[in-house]
Amino acid sequence: MAGGEPAAGGVPAAAALHRSALVFDGHCDSLLDAVGLSESEPGAPPRDLSQRSARGQLDLPRLAEAGVSAQFFAAFCPDSRIGQAGEHTWALVRALDELCERSPLAIRAVRAEDARRAKAEGRVAAYLAIEGGEAIGESLDELRAFYAAGVRLMTLSWNRRNAIARGVGAPGDDGLSPFGRRVVAEMERLGMIVDVSHLSDRALDEVLGAAERPLVASHSNAKAVLGHRRNLADDQLERIAATGGLVGLTLAGVFVDAEPARVGVSRLMDHLDHMLRVAGEDHVGLGTDFDGFTAPYGLVMDDCTGLPLLSAAMLERGHGETTITKVLGGNWLRVVQEVVG
C-alpha cells in the first residue's frame, strides 16, 4: 500500500460500516484497458475486466471485493483518437455491453434502482458515462442515440476545446458555446447527468448559470488544498452544491499533492475535510479515476480493493456514520435518482 498506509479493513468498525454502505464510484477509465488503450499502463494489451487481474487498478471481481455496488465507466477519447471520437466512443459502449453480458457480477445499469439491486445481490451496477463531448460532434441526435444506448452521464469537455465548451487546458477566454447550451438543456430533458469536471472556469460559470437540475464534477478535488487547475475553488464547490449536485473526490495523485511522496490517504482526507466544510455532507461523493492515472505522480492506494481505507480514515477524522455513508455512495444514488430516475 502506498505511503505506508494500513491494510484495508484493519479497523473492525470501519470495515463493518463499509460493508453495510452502498458504495458508488462516479468515475473510472477502465474501459480503455478493455480495448487496449490503457491510461494507467500505456502500451499494455487489452484486459478482460470480468476477470480478476494483477494488472490495472479496477475490474469487476476487485470492485466486488472492495464493496463497490455501483460504478460509472467512462468512455474517454484520447487525443490519438479524436478524429474518430464518435466511432471510438461507440466501441467503448459495446465493450461495456459485452462485459455485462459475460459477467454474472455485472448489472447493466440505467436507473437508480439498479444500484440498489446490485447492493442487495452482491453485484456491481455498471453505469455508462462519456468523458468529452467530442463523441457527439455537433449533433443532438447523436446525444440522444447515446442516451438510448444507456449513457447516463456526460463530461462536457475534457481538457480540450470542443463544440460544446472550452476545457481547462485549452487557451482562450471562451466558455460554453451556443450549441453547448442546447446540449445542457437536452441532457437535462433526457435525464442525463451534466458533468463539469475538466471545464475552464468560464465554461463552468456559464454551465452553472444555465443549469436547472443537479450538476456533478465527477472527479475533482479542492483548490484550497492543492492549487491544481483541475481542482475546484470554494465558490465553485458552493455553487455546484447549490444545484443539488455533488463533487467526486478523486484519487489521481496529481490532484492530491504536488509531491508524489506525500500522496496518500491522509492527504486525500485533507481534500475531503475541506470539501465537506465548504459544500456540505450532501454534496461530496467518490470519483476515483481508477485506471486514469499512473504511479509516478503518487498513489493513494494501489487499486480499488483499498477503498475500505477511506471509511477507516473518515472515522479516524471524526466523521459520523451518516456523513460517511453519504460520501461513499448515498449522494451519488440521490443525484442519479433525481436526474436519471
Side-chain angles (χ1 to χ4, degrees):
M1 195 56 57
E5 303 289 353
V11 180
L17 175 58
H18 192 89
R19 284 194 302 270
S20 67
L22 191 157
V23 182
F24 197 138
D25 178 20
H27 188 85
C28 76
D29 283 310
S30 307
L31 284 180
L32 289 174
D33 289 42
V35 298
L37 293 173
S38 175
E39 294 280 292
S40 61
E41 295 183 300
R47 181 163 61 86
D48 184 355
L49 301 181
S50 71
Q51 303 297 316
R52 186 182 181 92
S53 175
R55 292 173 48 207
Q57 297 164 338
L58 180 154
D59 51 51
L60 289 173
R62 282 184 283 178
L63 283 174
E65 179 184 330
V68 177
S69 297
Q71 177 71 57
F72 263 111
F73 288 86
F76 170 64
C77 185
D79 288 338
S80 62
R81 301 297 175 101
I82 202 67
Q84 302 84 37
E87 179 183 348
H88 167 81
T89 304
W90 279 112
L92 293 177
V93 171
R94 291 191 295 272
L96 184 63
D97 288 341
E98 292 165 3
L99 172 65
C100 293
E101 287 171 2
R102 68 176 178 270
S103 174
L105 275 176
I107 295 173
R108 182 67 169 82
V110 293
R111 56 184 181 172
E113 183 57 34
D114 294 323
R116 298 188 186 96
R117 176 186 161 202
K119 175 64 177 175
E121 298 178 0
R123 300 168 71 191
V124 178
Y127 293 86
L128 184 59
I130 289 174
E131 185 174 17
E134 294 87 357
I136 69 167
E138 300 181 47
S139 170
L140 292 181
D141 285 341
E142 194 70 359
L143 175 68
R144 297 179 190 115
F146 279 119
Y147 177 83
V151 174
R152 291 297 180 266
L153 179 150
M154 186 167 75
T155 314
L156 297 179
S157 179
W158 190 63
N159 295 337
R160 307 171 286 241
R161 178 187 285 101
N162 60 25
I164 298 170
R166 178 168 62 91
V168 70
D173 60 4
D174 53 320
L176 184 68
S177 72
F179 173 67
R181 293 180 182 275
R182 295 166 58 204
V183 168
V184 170
E186 183 64 6
M187 289 176 67
E188 293 187 329
R189 186 192 72 81
L190 289 169
M192 187 185 294
I193 298 168
V194 176
D195 179 12
V196 298
S197 279
H198 286 285
L199 288 181
S200 65
D201 287 347
R202 178 173 175 179
L204 174 53
D205 180 68
E206 291 175 351
V207 174
L208 284 162
E212 297 181 358
R213 304 192 73 180
L215 300 173
V216 305
S218 64
H219 55 304
S220 298
N221 287 341
K223 189 166 285 185
V225 178
L226 177 68
H228 193 282
R229 68 184 188 183
R230 274 276 288 105
N231 290 340
L232 297 174
D234 286 0
D235 68 309
Q236 295 170 328
L237 293 170
E238 290 170 348
R239 292 182 69 192
I240 291 169
T243 72
L246 63 80
V247 178
L249 180 76
T250 184
L251 278 63
V254 70
F255 307 146
V256 176
D257 197 278
E259 174 53 55
R262 285 173 48 87
V263 173
V265 172
S266 178
R267 187 60 171 151
L268 184 71
M269 288 299 105
D270 294 342
H271 287 272
L272 177 63
D273 289 348
H274 185 85
M275 291 158 70
L276 288 170
R277 283 194 298 271
V278 174
E281 67 174 14
D282 293 321
H283 305 290
V284 182
L286 302 180
T288 64
D289 203 14
F290 279 128
D291 287 318
F293 53 86
T294 56
Y297 294 102
L299 294 176
V300 173
M301 57 189 64
D302 295 333
D303 65 14
C304 67
T305 61
L307 284 173
L309 286 169
L310 302 186
S311 296
M314 283 187 274
L315 276 178
E316 291 167 3
R317 290 280 178 119
H319 299 296
E321 291 189 5
T322 298
T323 298
I324 295 170
T325 56
K326 287 179 178 181
V327 171
L328 288 177
N331 289 335
W332 266 113
L333 184 63
R334 173 185 55 79
V335 171
V336 172
Q337 180 73 62
E338 290 182 14
V339 178
V340 174

PDB file of all heavy atoms in Angstrom, residues 56-81:
ATOM      1  N   GLY A  56      -3.587  -3.229 -13.882  1.00  0.00           N
ATOM      2  CA  GLY A  56      -4.577  -2.177 -13.772  1.00  0.00           C
ATOM      3  C   GLY A  56      -5.024  -1.953 -12.336  1.00  0.00           C
ATOM      4  O   GLY A  56      -4.491  -2.526 -11.386  1.00  0.00           O
ATOM      5  N   GLN A  57      -6.033  -1.132 -12.193  1.00  0.00           N
ATOM      6  CA  GLN A  57      -6.493  -0.727 -10.863  1.00  0.00           C
ATOM      7  C   GLN A  57      -7.917  -1.157 -10.543  1.00  0.00           C
ATOM      8  O   GLN A  57      -8.340  -1.031  -9.390  1.00  0.00           O
ATOM      9  CB  GLN A  57      -6.372   0.803 -10.746  1.00  0.00           C
ATOM     10  CG  GLN A  57      -4.928   1.281 -10.853  1.00  0.00           C
ATOM     11  CD  GLN A  57      -4.814   2.768 -11.122  1.00  0.00           C
ATOM     12  OE1 GLN A  57      -5.732   3.419 -11.622  1.00  0.00           O
ATOM     13  NE2 GLN A  57      -3.667   3.337 -10.768  1.00  0.00           N
ATOM     14  N   LEU A  58      -8.620  -1.700 -11.529  1.00  0.00           N
ATOM     15  CA  LEU A  58     -10.037  -1.983 -11.305  1.00  0.00           C
ATOM     16  C   LEU A  58     -10.507  -3.066 -12.261  1.00  0.00           C
ATOM     17  O   LEU A  58     -10.174  -3.063 -13.435  1.00  0.00           O
ATOM     18  CB  LEU A  58     -10.833  -0.689 -11.514  1.00  0.00           C
ATOM     19  CG  LEU A  58     -12.335  -0.654 -11.346  1.00  0.00           C
ATOM     20  CD1 LEU A  58     -12.781   0.774 -10.959  1.00  0.00           C
ATOM     21  CD2 LEU A  58     -13.066  -1.066 -12.629  1.00  0.00           C
ATOM     22  N   ASP A  59     -11.276  -4.007 -11.751  1.00  0.00           N
ATOM     23  CA  ASP A  59     -12.041  -4.960 -12.543  1.00  0.00           C
ATOM     24  C   ASP A  59     -13.245  -5.376 -11.711  1.00  0.00           C
ATOM     25  O   ASP A  59     -13.348  -5.025 -10.526  1.00  0.00           O
ATOM     26  CB  ASP A  59     -11.190  -6.168 -12.985  1.00  0.00           C
ATOM     27  CG  ASP A  59     -10.434  -6.819 -11.844  1.00  0.00           C
ATOM     28  OD1 ASP A  59     -11.054  -7.135 -10.810  1.00  0.00           O
ATOM     29  OD2 ASP A  59      -9.205  -7.025 -11.980  1.00  0.00           O
ATOM     30  N   LEU A  60     -14.165  -6.118 -12.296  1.00  0.00           N
ATOM     31  CA  LEU A  60     -15.391  -6.459 -11.577  1.00  0.00           C
ATOM     32  C   LEU A  60     -15.144  -7.272 -10.308  1.00  0.00           C
ATOM     33  O   LEU A  60     -15.724  -6.962  -9.257  1.00  0.00           O
ATOM     34  CB  LEU A  60     -16.363  -7.170 -12.512  1.00  0.00           C
ATOM     35  CG  LEU A  60     -17.001  -6.292 -13.591  1.00  0.00           C
ATOM     36  CD1 LEU A  60     -17.801  -7.147 -14.566  1.00  0.00           C
ATOM     37  CD2 LEU A  60     -17.883  -5.216 -12.978  1.00  0.00           C
ATOM     38  N   PRO A  61     -14.307  -8.314 -10.336  1.00  0.00           N
ATOM     39  CA  PRO A  61     -14.064  -9.039  -9.078  1.00  0.00           C
ATOM     40  C   PRO A  61     -13.451  -8.163  -7.994  1.00  0.00           C
ATOM     41  O   PRO A  61     -13.818  -8.286  -6.813  1.00  0.00           O
ATOM     42  CB  PRO A  61     -13.111 -10.165  -9.506  1.00  0.00           C
ATOM     43  CG  PRO A  61     -13.428 -10.402 -10.946  1.00  0.00           C
ATOM     44  CD  PRO A  61     -13.713  -9.024 -11.490  1.00  0.00           C
ATOM     45  N   ARG A  62     -12.541  -7.278  -8.356  1.00  0.00           N
ATOM     46  CA  ARG A  62     -11.954  -6.405  -7.338  1.00  0.00           C
ATOM     47  C   ARG A  62     -12.956  -5.358  -6.843  1.00  0.00           C
ATOM     48  O   ARG A  62     -12.940  -4.994  -5.662  1.00  0.00           O
ATOM     49  CB  ARG A  62     -10.674  -5.744  -7.872  1.00  0.00           C
ATOM     50  CG  ARG A  62      -9.475  -6.686  -7.855  1.00  0.00           C
ATOM     51  CD  ARG A  62      -8.193  -5.989  -8.297  1.00  0.00           C
ATOM     52  NE  ARG A  62      -8.141  -5.820  -9.746  1.00  0.00           N
ATOM     53  CZ  ARG A  62      -7.155  -5.206 -10.403  1.00  0.00           C
ATOM     54  NH1 ARG A  62      -6.130  -4.690  -9.726  1.00  0.00           N
ATOM     55  NH2 ARG A  62      -7.170  -5.109 -11.713  1.00  0.00           N
ATOM     56  N   LEU A  63     -13.826  -4.870  -7.717  1.00  0.00           N
ATOM     57  CA  LEU A  63     -14.882  -3.971  -7.255  1.00  0.00           C
ATOM     58  C   LEU A  63     -15.767  -4.664  -6.228  1.00  0.00           C
ATOM     59  O   LEU A  63     -16.105  -4.084  -5.189  1.00  0.00           O
ATOM     60  CB  LEU A  63     -15.736  -3.491  -8.434  1.00  0.00           C
ATOM     61  CG  LEU A  63     -15.147  -2.414  -9.336  1.00  0.00           C
ATOM     62  CD1 LEU A  63     -16.072  -2.170 -10.526  1.00  0.00           C
ATOM     63  CD2 LEU A  63     -14.914  -1.113  -8.577  1.00  0.00           C
ATOM     64  N   ALA A  64     -16.157  -5.904  -6.521  1.00  0.00           N
ATOM     65  CA  ALA A  64     -16.995  -6.642  -5.579  1.00  0.00           C
ATOM     66  C   ALA A  64     -16.271  -6.851  -4.250  1.00  0.00           C
ATOM     67  O   ALA A  64     -16.861  -6.699  -3.171  1.00  0.00           O
ATOM     68  CB  ALA A  64     -17.411  -7.977  -6.191  1.00  0.00           C
ATOM     69  N   GLU A  65     -14.986  -7.190  -4.306  1.00  0.00           N
ATOM     70  CA  GLU A  65     -14.196  -7.352  -3.088  1.00  0.00           C
ATOM     71  C   GLU A  65     -14.139  -6.055  -2.293  1.00  0.00           C
ATOM     72  O   GLU A  65     -14.162  -6.060  -1.046  1.00  0.00           O
ATOM     73  CB  GLU A  65     -12.779  -7.810  -3.426  1.00  0.00           C
ATOM     74  CG  GLU A  65     -11.876  -7.980  -2.208  1.00  0.00           C
ATOM     75  CD  GLU A  65     -10.444  -8.338  -2.582  1.00  0.00           C
ATOM     76  OE1 GLU A  65     -10.242  -8.989  -3.641  1.00  0.00           O
ATOM     77  OE2 GLU A  65      -9.533  -7.972  -1.823  1.00  0.00           O
ATOM     78  N   ALA A  66     -14.075  -4.932  -2.984  1.00  0.00           N
ATOM     79  CA  ALA A  66     -13.991  -3.622  -2.336  1.00  0.00           C
ATOM     80  C   ALA A  66     -15.332  -3.135  -1.819  1.00  0.00           C
ATOM     81  O   ALA A  66     -15.399  -2.068  -1.195  1.00  0.00           O
ATOM     82  CB  ALA A  66     -13.414  -2.598  -3.313  1.00  0.00           C
ATOM     83  N   GLY A  67     -16.398  -3.875  -2.082  1.00  0.00           N
ATOM     84  CA  GLY A  67     -17.718  -3.478  -1.627  1.00  0.00           C
ATOM     85  C   GLY A  67     -18.381  -2.429  -2.489  1.00  0.00           C
ATOM     86  O   GLY A  67     -19.330  -1.763  -2.054  1.00  0.00           O
ATOM     87  N   VAL A  68     -17.909  -2.255  -3.721  1.00  0.00           N
ATOM     88  CA  VAL A  68     -18.496  -1.265  -4.622  1.00  0.00           C
ATOM     89  C   VAL A  68     -19.716  -1.872  -5.303  1.00  0.00           C
ATOM     90  O   VAL A  68     -19.622  -2.891  -5.981  1.00  0.00           O
ATOM     91  CB  VAL A  68     -17.472  -0.799  -5.677  1.00  0.00           C
ATOM     92  CG1 VAL A  68     -18.115   0.174  -6.658  1.00  0.00           C
ATOM     93  CG2 VAL A  68     -16.267  -0.159  -4.996  1.00  0.00           C
ATOM     94  N   SER A  69     -20.859  -1.223  -5.129  1.00  0.00           N
ATOM     95  CA  SER A  69     -22.104  -1.708  -5.723  1.00  0.00           C
ATOM     96  C   SER A  69     -22.459  -1.004  -7.018  1.00  0.00           C
ATOM     97  O   SER A  69     -23.304  -1.501  -7.769  1.00  0.00           O
ATOM     98  CB  SER A  69     -23.268  -1.537  -4.738  1.00  0.00           C
ATOM     99  OG  SER A  69     -23.074  -2.314  -3.581  1.00  0.00           O
ATOM    100  N   ALA A  70     -21.865   0.157  -7.285  1.00  0.00           N
ATOM    101  CA  ALA A  70     -22.196   0.918  -8.490  1.00  0.00           C
ATOM    102  C   ALA A  70     -20.964   1.655  -8.978  1.00  0.00           C
ATOM    103  O   ALA A  70     -20.212   2.228  -8.183  1.00  0.00           O
ATOM    104  CB  ALA A  70     -23.329   1.909  -8.215  1.00  0.00           C
ATOM    105  N   GLN A  71     -20.779   1.627 -10.300  1.00  0.00           N
ATOM    106  CA  GLN A  71     -19.581   2.215 -10.907  1.00  0.00           C
ATOM    107  C   GLN A  71     -19.943   2.881 -12.220  1.00  0.00           C
ATOM    108  O   GLN A  71     -20.542   2.254 -13.098  1.00  0.00           O
ATOM    109  CB  GLN A  71     -18.540   1.134 -11.173  1.00  0.00           C
ATOM    110  CG  GLN A  71     -17.280   1.603 -11.877  1.00  0.00           C
ATOM    111  CD  GLN A  71     -16.407   2.449 -10.975  1.00  0.00           C
ATOM    112  OE1 GLN A  71     -16.017   1.997  -9.898  1.00  0.00           O
ATOM    113  NE2 GLN A  71     -16.096   3.665 -11.405  1.00  0.00           N
ATOM    114  N   PHE A  72     -19.600   4.165 -12.374  1.00  0.00           N
ATOM    115  CA  PHE A  72     -19.683   4.814 -13.676  1.00  0.00           C
ATOM    116  C   PHE A  72     -18.402   4.503 -14.439  1.00  0.00           C
ATOM    117  O   PHE A  72     -17.294   4.838 -13.995  1.00  0.00           O
ATOM    118  CB  PHE A  72     -19.833   6.328 -13.539  1.00  0.00           C
ATOM    119  CG  PHE A  72     -21.254   6.818 -13.630  1.00  0.00           C
ATOM    120  CD1 PHE A  72     -21.892   7.345 -12.522  1.00  0.00           C
ATOM    121  CD2 PHE A  72     -21.950   6.739 -14.827  1.00  0.00           C
ATOM    122  CE1 PHE A  72     -23.202   7.792 -12.597  1.00  0.00           C
ATOM    123  CE2 PHE A  72     -23.258   7.181 -14.926  1.00  0.00           C
ATOM    124  CZ  PHE A  72     -23.897   7.714 -13.798  1.00  0.00           C
ATOM    125  N   PHE A  73     -18.535   3.853 -15.598  1.00  0.00           N
ATOM    126  CA  PHE A  73     -17.424   3.564 -16.501  1.00  0.00           C
ATOM    127  C   PHE A  73     -17.408   4.645 -17.580  1.00  0.00           C
ATOM    128  O   PHE A  73     -18.363   4.794 -18.336  1.00  0.00           O
ATOM    129  CB  PHE A  73     -17.590   2.193 -17.150  1.00  0.00           C
ATOM    130  CG  PHE A  73     -17.355   1.030 -16.226  1.00  0.00           C
ATOM    131  CD1 PHE A  73     -18.390   0.534 -15.442  1.00  0.00           C
ATOM    132  CD2 PHE A  73     -16.106   0.426 -16.149  1.00  0.00           C
ATOM    133  CE1 PHE A  73     -18.177  -0.551 -14.590  1.00  0.00           C
ATOM    134  CE2 PHE A  73     -15.887  -0.651 -15.297  1.00  0.00           C
ATOM    135  CZ  PHE A  73     -16.924  -1.147 -14.521  1.00  0.00           C
ATOM    136  N   ALA A  74     -16.318   5.396 -17.657  1.00  0.00           N
ATOM    137  CA  ALA A  74     -16.223   6.497 -18.613  1.00  0.00           C
ATOM    138  C   ALA A  74     -15.720   6.010 -19.964  1.00  0.00           C
ATOM    139  O   ALA A  74     -14.737   5.271 -20.039  1.00  0.00           O
ATOM    140  CB  ALA A  74     -15.291   7.581 -18.074  1.00  0.00           C
ATOM    141  N   ALA A  75     -16.397   6.437 -21.005  1.00  0.00           N
ATOM    142  CA  ALA A  75     -15.918   6.239 -22.367  1.00  0.00           C
ATOM    143  C   ALA A  75     -15.136   7.490 -22.748  1.00  0.00           C
ATOM    144  O   ALA A  75     -15.710   8.507 -23.128  1.00  0.00           O
ATOM    145  CB  ALA A  75     -17.092   6.007 -23.315  1.00  0.00           C
ATOM    146  N   PHE A  76     -13.818   7.415 -22.611  1.00  0.00           N
ATOM    147  CA  PHE A  76     -12.939   8.557 -22.838  1.00  0.00           C
ATOM    148  C   PHE A  76     -12.235   8.426 -24.176  1.00  0.00           C
ATOM    149  O   PHE A  76     -11.760   7.348 -24.543  1.00  0.00           O
ATOM    150  CB  PHE A  76     -11.908   8.657 -21.707  1.00  0.00           C
ATOM    151  CG  PHE A  76     -10.814   9.656 -21.973  1.00  0.00           C
ATOM    152  CD1 PHE A  76     -11.112  11.006 -22.089  1.00  0.00           C
ATOM    153  CD2 PHE A  76      -9.491   9.250 -22.120  1.00  0.00           C
ATOM    154  CE1 PHE A  76     -10.110  11.943 -22.339  1.00  0.00           C
ATOM    155  CE2 PHE A  76      -8.490  10.175 -22.364  1.00  0.00           C
ATOM    156  CZ  PHE A  76      -8.797  11.515 -22.476  1.00  0.00           C
ATOM    157  N   CYS A  77     -12.122   9.531 -24.887  1.00  0.00           N
ATOM    158  CA  CYS A  77     -11.432   9.554 -26.176  1.00  0.00           C
ATOM    159  C   CYS A  77     -10.083  10.242 -26.023  1.00  0.00           C
ATOM    160  O   CYS A  77     -10.021  11.460 -25.821  1.00  0.00           O
ATOM    161  CB  CYS A  77     -12.271  10.291 -27.210  1.00  0.00           C
ATOM    162  SG  CYS A  77     -11.553  10.246 -28.868  1.00  0.00           S
ATOM    163  N   PRO A  78      -8.985   9.490 -26.110  1.00  0.00           N
ATOM    164  CA  PRO A  78      -7.661  10.118 -26.029  1.00  0.00           C
ATOM    165  C   PRO A  78      -7.378  10.964 -27.268  1.00  0.00           C
ATOM    166  O   PRO A  78      -8.050  10.839 -28.293  1.00  0.00           O
ATOM    167  CB  PRO A  78      -6.708   8.925 -25.926  1.00  0.00           C
ATOM    168  CG  PRO A  78      -7.449   7.787 -26.529  1.00  0.00           C
ATOM    169  CD  PRO A  78      -8.907   8.031 -26.272  1.00  0.00           C
ATOM    170  N   ASP A  79      -6.388  11.833 -27.150  1.00  0.00           N
ATOM    171  CA  ASP A  79      -6.048  12.717 -28.267  1.00  0.00           C
ATOM    172  C   ASP A  79      -5.780  11.940 -29.550  1.00  0.00           C
ATOM    173  O   ASP A  79      -6.105  12.399 -30.645  1.00  0.00           O
ATOM    174  CB  ASP A  79      -4.812  13.547 -27.914  1.00  0.00           C
ATOM    175  CG  ASP A  79      -5.097  14.626 -26.883  1.00  0.00           C
ATOM    176  OD1 ASP A  79      -6.268  15.019 -26.739  1.00  0.00           O
ATOM    177  OD2 ASP A  79      -4.139  15.068 -26.211  1.00  0.00           O
ATOM    178  N   SER A  80      -5.202  10.746 -29.422  1.00  0.00           N
ATOM    179  CA  SER A  80      -4.845   9.962 -30.606  1.00  0.00           C
ATOM    180  C   SER A  80      -6.059   9.495 -31.391  1.00  0.00           C
ATOM    181  O   SER A  80      -5.931   9.127 -32.558  1.00  0.00           O
ATOM    182  CB  SER A  80      -4.008   8.745 -30.188  1.00  0.00           C
ATOM    183  OG  SER A  80      -4.755   7.900 -29.331  1.00  0.00           O
ATOM    184  N   ARG A  81      -7.243   9.515 -30.786  1.00  0.00           N
ATOM    185  CA  ARG A  81      -8.455   9.040 -31.461  1.00  0.00           C
ATOM    186  C   ARG A  81      -9.458  10.157 -31.713  1.00  0.00           C
ATOM    187  O   ARG A  81     -10.594   9.874 -32.112  1.00  0.00           O
ATOM    188  CB  ARG A  81      -9.128   7.939 -30.610  1.00  0.00           C
ATOM    189  CG  ARG A  81      -8.244   6.722 -30.338  1.00  0.00           C
ATOM    190  CD  ARG A  81      -7.892   6.014 -31.624  1.00  0.00           C
ATOM    191  NE  ARG A  81      -6.966   4.923 -31.442  1.00  0.00           N
ATOM    192  CZ  ARG A  81      -7.315   3.628 -31.399  1.00  0.00           C
ATOM    193  NH1 ARG A  81      -8.580   3.283 -31.507  1.00  0.00           N
ATOM    194  NH2 ARG A  81      -6.392   2.688 -31.251  1.00  0.00           N
TER     195      ARG A  81
END
